[in-house]
Amino acid sequence: MKPTGRLAVLSSLLVLSAAPLHAEFGVVTDAKAYTVDSGAGLVFRVNRSTGNLESIKLNGTELNGKKASGIASGLGPQGTTTAVWSDVNTVKITVATTAENQVAANFTQYYIVRRNENTIYMATHAVNEPRVGELRWITRLQGSLFPNTPEDSTTRGTTKGVESKDVFGTEDGITRSKYYGNQRAKDLSIRGVSGSGRAAFMVYGNRESSSGGPFYRDIQNQSGSDSEVYNYMNSGHAQTEERRLGVLFGPYALMFTTGATPPVPDMGFIANLGLTGYVPVSGRGKVVVRGIGGRDASMPYTVAFANATAQYWTDASRTDGSATCANMKPGSYTMTVYKNELAVYTAPVSVAAGQATTLPPITITTDPAANPALWRIGVWDGTPLEFRNGPNLTRMHPSDKRQAPWSGGVFTVGKSKVSDFPAVTWRGVNEPVTVSFTLTPAQVKDCTIRIGTTTSFSGGRPAITLNSTWSAPMQKPVGQPDSRSLTIGTYRTNYGFFSFRVPAKALVAGENKLEIKITSGNGGSGFLSPSFAIDCVDFY
């Protein structure tokens, strides 16, 4: 029965009072902060001294955690200036530092909001690396309001340290860290955390100014007392190339909803806002690859481009290997074709503004899989994912109870499964890895054993012994970044390709035993001892 008269009026007033009341879109300036209202329920305050977001409210509820959200954990007051510009549909706040700033000198952070959008669009122009040694945005949200977070990176429920001050464990042997469960750069799109009636999502945007290439992984989330949502633009976490500076990072965006994952927004409007370092579409070019020959039809291929100021990538067609990479800044690049994650072709390429650089079909000639092998363990694809515990390397610490034992006995060619072969060899943990294989009398002749490694730590590289009577000469180490890798959720740094020429006298007709050991001039113990991850091992 519907209410009538005064009861109907009262009922209507109760409904209205229960609904969120949104203020008008705009910005209010006071001596300490800019307060921006989206007009759709999002209200946030930018501290004019540090550039931090000291408050983020959605429909009247404070979302910020114990610390402010911000770039580089706050820029500090030294040499920091702020300015605001707005029109009827847009607010842009510019936080800029001078050389006096002790956190990040000559640095600019932009916050942009559009009418009736609960989104904070951002961009960062960094002339110098922040003194903390990494460039990242951190959204710090109240953990109690955002309990739904990526499982591998939450530290809730952990009770002890496992490694350094950033890998933690539960009493039952599960490991968690901000380093775990992170996506490859080429897969970054939108990801976030949620709770009852609220969610926050990072839209990672253009990765052209970041470092590491299409398969690089860096921190996206960490959830303890706070639920943290990151956008890491560069770091020293297993970083294999120089960081790009003097360029604009982004735009990227922080989106708020009542729970649903929103579509990635069109950020093209930012071209008209005068951001330092912004290159419009009209000032960009593209590369067209007509085709790639010599491909493995079962594998995905990525075509990537890199120089000192930008990086790009695109997927090659599964049909003919053709590929188009658009919206590239002008310049000279190194083009690399990856078979899954293994580099199999490189060439120089130039890009001009407003033009298409069209390349004739190319043919891959450096794929090690093209060489027929008497036996092969794994796949030449630049990853250890097919091996024992390989799929776990990005999700958990090697000591996690969910890992299978790293030592698994003798691997017998033709009988053992590929998944029986350990993805990683550590000194003192599972060294040596022994492979048994059988040769006929006709097969006993000079041969080659090849081992590919996707990463190595502390100078570790393969050393081989055959039948306990012959050992190969020592191989040179592969230069690697000064960083952990296999314990912080990545199996990729600088690739190692080791080719051992084996004389016939080292082999016998019948069963042969190959021992794969580690050589290194460095110390270390356990999972921080010299080590390497395997891509493939073969014999021909």
Side-chain angles (χ1 to χ4, degrees), residues 25 38-40 42 113-121 265 269:
F25 169 78
S38 72
L42 174 66
V113 176
R114 305 187 83 188
R115 178 185 291 273
N116 294 332
E117 292 185 18
N118 289 335
T119 299
I120 306 173
Y121 298 93
F269 73 96

Side-chain angles (χ1 to χ4, degrees), residues 75 85 154 157 171 243 268 273 340-341 353 406 430 462 485 504 514:
L75 298 174
W85 170 91
T154 183
E171 288 301 320
R243 299 166 194 176
L273 297 181
N340 197 9
E341 298 186 16
W406 287 102
N430 62 338
S485 55
L514 165 68

Side-chain angles (χ1 to χ4, degrees), residues 194-262:
S194 65
S196 178
R198 62 186 63 88
F201 297 90
M202 179 58 64
V203 179
Y204 298 93
N206 190 341
R207 310 307 294 172
E208 68 180 7
S209 298
S210 297
S211 303
F215 312 113
Y216 184 69
R217 299 172 191 264
D218 217 330
I219 300 168
Q220 293 177 266
N221 296 93
Q222 179 174 230
S223 299
S225 57
D226 283 353
S227 290
E228 298 175 345
V229 178
Y230 295 82
N231 180 18
Y232 258 78
M233 289 161 269
N234 68 39
S235 74
H237 306 144
Q239 184 59 253
T240 57
E241 64 178 347
E242 293 296 322
R243 299 166 194 176
R244 296 176 171 90
L245 294 170
V247 291
L248 186 72
F249 294 81
Y252 51 101
L254 181 61
M255 304 185 73
F256 296 91
T257 75
T258 55
T261 302

Side-chain angles (χ1 to χ4, degrees), residues 434 464-471 506 512-515 517:
T434 302
I464 67 169
T465 297
L466 278 157
N467 297 318
S468 302
T469 60
W470 179 89
S471 297
N512 290 261
K513 289 288 182 69
L514 165 68
E515 288 187 330
K517 302 179 181 180

